Amino acid sequence: DDVDRAYFAVFDGHGGVDAANYSATHLHVNVGLHQEIVKNPAEALKCAFQKTDEMFLCKAKREKLRSGTTGVSALIVGNALHVAWLGDSQVMLVQQGRAVTLMEPHKPERE
């Protein structure tokens, strides 16, 4: 279609790099192939995170891998920004020199 899109992501491996590398390789593919990418990009991001997690869990079980990852991704569709994150990764938006809160980070002490 004629809609401009851009995708960015950062993954922070825990207990090794396997989960982070896997996510960096597969998450954007799962987003792009999701049936809702055009109509509902936020849903596509959410489902892609879940699918990528399920895929890595199968690989980890098969190969006896023990790592995990946090992650944050941004999908720009036209002039709309969609942000998704997992774990304690954070994202900051600076607009006209001011920080804009996009999320409340996950912290162990937070309910």
Side-chain angles (χ1 to χ4, degrees):
D1 59 28
D2 61 351
V3 176
D4 288 333
R5 292 182 184 84
Y7 167 88
F8 306 90
V10 175
F11 302 96
D12 179 17
H14 290 259
V17 298
D18 295 318
N21 288 341
Y22 190 89
S23 297
T25 302
H26 292 89
L27 182 65
H28 68 284
V29 174
N30 290 333
V31 171
L33 293 176
H34 194 276
Q35 63 187 4
E36 292 295 315
I37 186 65
V38 173
K39 292 182 181 177
N40 191 346
E43 182 67 17
L45 270 174
K46 179 181 177 183
C47 290
F49 264 81
Q50 291 171 331
K51 181 174 182 173
T52 304
D53 184 49
E54 291 166 4
M55 291 168 56
F56 181 72
L57 287 174
C58 289
K59 177 183 174 71
K61 184 176 182 178
R62 187 175 58 249
E63 298 179 18
K64 298 186 180 8
L65 302 174
R66 305 273 305 154
S67 69
T69 191
T70 68
V72 62
S73 64
L75 178 63
I76 301 170
V77 181
N79 63 358
L81 171 65
H82 304 273
V83 176
W85 70 94
L86 181 67
D88 62 357
S89 289
Q90 298 181 45
V91 64
M92 175 183 282
L93 173 67
V94 178
Q95 186 175 41
Q96 297 178 347
R98 294 186 181 166
V100 178
T101 301
L102 297 179
M103 56 178 283
E104 293 297 326
H106 171 77
K107 297 292 181 189
E109 63 276 4
R110 201 177 123 213
E111 291 186 26

